[in-house]
Amino acid sequence: MITVNTIELDGKSLTRQQIELIAQGNTSIKISNESLERVRESRARIEKRLDAGEIIYGVNTGFGKLSDVKINKEDNELLQLNLLRADAVGVGEPLPTNIVRAMMLLRTNALAKGFSGIREETLHLLVELINRNVHPIVPSQGSVGASGDLAPLAHVAMVLVGEGKAEYEGVVYSGAEALERAGLQPVVLQAKEGLALINGTQAMTSIGIVTLNEAERLGYAADMAACLTMEALRGIITAFNADLLAVRPHPELEFVGGRIRRWLEGSKRVTEQGQLRMQDAYSIRCIPQVHGASWQTIRYVEDRVNIEMNSATDNPIVLENGMVVSGGHFHGQPIALAMDFLKVAVSEWANISERRTERLVNPQLSGLSPFLANDPGLDTGLMVVQYVAASLVSENKVLAHPASVDSIPTSANQEDHVSMGTTAARQVRQIVQNAANVIAIEMICASQAIYLEKAEDQLSPTTRSFLEKVREICPPLQQDRSISEEIEAVARFLLRTDTLVNL
């Protein structure tokens, strides 16, 4: 950190927390002096080889299947511009601004490693887009996740040359006008720079990191929802005994069990084994095992993105020994598999949450008022919110199908295996949103059950404090009303608050 408001990039130490700050527009960036020197040296190596008349892929050749076509020196600039124009062909709804900012940041950090051959002035312009809040309009669909996220990153790079579209101060302009309004000038790309800007995994990784941050918060929310349900249904705390959990010593299983015990400490609503019944249903008794397994996945995905966010993902790579080597670092498979795994993990939080919601609203399982209605029959209560949860978990099951197994060849079979990592990242983002709504529904149902039981004074201090926050958004139902907007508001709160992370 340089100041409270500036984060220094060196290509090797960027964190998820810093990415979130910058993605939200809460801080600016600069390139470290050490990194700038590496960038200059990398550029010098490219120019030295060009001056020697060497043929280098993507520098003075065509791209993909056209890599054997040599380009005349006087056409090198046009080659890079043509690359951006040809690749900026994405479709679909634009990516959200925070994702676009994260994408630009990750590409900047990768270039700052000094293996890409980009010029210092081009890199500085990318930094200024972030610092001056010039946000390229980037369609969300069109990347196969190998050869880099070519289409999304090309839409970013087009703004650097004064083309494409960008949002500035809430208005969408042409790239040229957005730059002018921000007090910036477009660049004329030199050899390799177009390829350096678009050859990488930054679209899938930016979506993945922003979504992982939300998924982590959602994991804590799932644990809290389970606590509230246990208190509503007088769940058996004995199943969370530390000595019991220790005989199956998965760390995340024990962490979840310990968190549940801590958050429920002081509760007069939970029971001991045999007090009311011997065993709870799996959706309550197996919370440590199910939630904990998903937390194992969170930690795995965190490891993958921590490496990727500080990696060079170009092709070719300009090595420190002067060699310019073609490889496959643009291939998104490490992130594709991680995103597919995350899809399953978050889906499971939603699956088990919906089953707990069923136990709350079903009078044959809960012993409470049917569908938690104040006046059953006249009031339908929360019957249909369980339908909504069921719909969302079923949608998640479709989205959780692994995108990474669906490779399809491109570029006349030169690029004959691709990752579909960006598809996986987009899917997990939808799954997280769906799961947040499902867990919000469980919390609202638990809140209603506690209201009907007049049990607020019997809750633990921790759960009672959190329940008050939920009820500020969605008060208990006195009679039937639409709570559609309240469900979504609780879900947004769960994805954005760090309250539970810090408990």
Side-chain angles (χ1 to χ4, degrees), residues 153-276:
L153 287 169
H155 283 278
V156 172
M158 286 284 278
V159 177
L160 296 174
V161 299
E163 299 189 16
K165 294 182 179 180
E167 175 268 323
Y168 179 68
E169 295 184 340
V171 180
V172 175
Y173 300 102
S174 69
E177 187 172 358
L179 290 177
E180 182 179 357
R181 287 177 177 271
L184 300 171
Q185 294 291 323
V187 295
V188 177
L189 298 180
Q190 304 299 309
K192 195 184 184 297
E193 290 195 294
L195 189 58
L197 288 166
I198 70 173
N199 211 203
T201 61
Q202 283 69 43
M204 69 180 78
T205 308
S206 63
I207 299 169
I209 289 169
V210 171
T211 305
L212 176 61
N213 289 347
E214 292 180 342
E216 191 170 46
R217 294 188 185 101
L218 192 61
Y220 287 100
D223 292 347
M224 177 55 75
C227 287
L228 291 170
T229 297
M230 285 187 66
E231 290 186 298
L233 296 177
R234 309 216 65 193
I236 300 169
I237 194 66
T238 318
F240 302 83
N241 178 280
D243 291 334
L244 170 66
L245 299 183
V247 304
R248 193 184 186 190
H250 292 280
E252 293 80 6
L253 184 158
E254 295 185 277
F255 292 157
V256 169
R259 187 154 48 238
I260 299 289
R261 292 195 307 272
R262 187 172 70 252
W263 287 354
L264 288 175
E265 187 174 353
S267 174
K268 297 180 178 63
R269 289 290 298 179
V270 294
T271 61
E272 297 290 339
Q273 179 177 299
Q275 185 178 338
L276 294 179

Side-chain angles (χ1 to χ4, degrees), residues 298-317:
I298 292 285
R299 298 284 81 91
Y300 170 79
V301 176
E302 180 181 39
D303 286 343
R304 296 308 97 199
V305 299
N306 283 346
I307 293 171
E308 193 75 359
M309 72 176 71
N310 290 296
S311 294
T313 54
D314 292 50
N315 180 50
I317 290 288

Side-chain angles (χ1 to χ4, degrees), residues 57 61-71 411 414:
Y57 170 73
T61 74
F63 305 100
K65 186 66 175 177
L66 302 175
S67 60
D68 292 328
V69 179
K70 188 178 184 306
I71 306 301
S411 194
Q414 172 73 1

Side-chain angles (χ1 to χ4, degrees), residues 489-503:
V490 173
R492 286 193 298 272
F493 170 69
L494 299 179
L495 293 177
R496 294 173 186 174
T497 183
D498 285 324
T499 300
L500 293 173
V501 179
N502 298 322
L503 280 181

Side-chain angles (χ1 to χ4, degrees), residues 220-414:
Y220 287 100
D223 292 347
M224 177 55 75
C227 287
L228 291 170
T229 297
M230 285 187 66
E231 290 186 298
L233 296 177
R234 309 216 65 193
I236 300 169
I237 194 66
T238 318
F240 302 83
N241 178 280
D243 291 334
L244 170 66
L245 299 183
V247 304
R248 193 184 186 190
H250 292 280
E252 293 80 6
L253 184 158
E254 295 185 277
F255 292 157
V256 169
R259 187 154 48 238
I260 299 289
R261 292 195 307 272
R262 187 172 70 252
W263 287 354
L264 288 175
E265 187 174 353
S267 174
K268 297 180 178 63
R269 289 290 298 179
V270 294
T271 61
E272 297 290 339
Q273 179 177 299
Q275 185 178 338
L276 294 179
R277 54 190 174 274
M278 286 302 297
Q279 293 182 337
D280 280 323
Y282 288 4
S283 59
I284 294 173
R285 195 188 344 154
C286 300
I287 290 165
Q289 292 79 10
V290 177
H291 286 205
S294 290
W295 275 106
Q296 290 174 346
T297 304
I298 292 285
R299 298 284 81 91
Y300 170 79
V301 176
E302 180 181 39
D303 286 343
R304 296 308 97 199
V305 299
N306 283 346
I307 293 171
E308 193 75 359
M309 72 176 71
N310 290 296
S311 294
T313 54
D314 292 50
N315 180 50
I317 290 288
V318 184
L319 298 176
E320 291 179 345
N321 63 11
M323 292 180 64
V324 182
V325 183
S326 286
H329 284 330
F330 51 75
H331 202 294
Q333 197 75 358
I335 299 302
L337 292 177
M339 292 299 103
D340 278 339
F341 200 5
L342 185 59
K343 283 156 53 177
V344 175
V346 176
S347 293
E348 280 304 292
W349 278 330
N351 283 348
I352 197 170
S353 173
E354 184 276 330
R355 288 293 80 201
R356 291 192 296 263
T357 292
E358 170 65 8
R359 304 200 76 79
L360 287 163
V361 302
N362 186 334
Q364 296 176 335
L365 300 175
S366 70
L368 301 174
S369 174
F371 308 107
L372 304 174
N374 256 332
D375 188 358
L378 179 62
D379 288 337
T380 302
L382 295 172
M383 179 192 295
V384 179
V385 299
Q386 185 267 328
Y387 297 14
V388 176
S391 170
L392 293 171
V393 298
S394 289
E395 181 178 320
N396 282 352
K397 292 170 188 175
V398 175
L399 292 170
H401 177 82
S404 56
V405 301
D406 195 25
S407 176
I408 190 168
T410 58
S411 194
N413 250 342
Q414 172 73 1

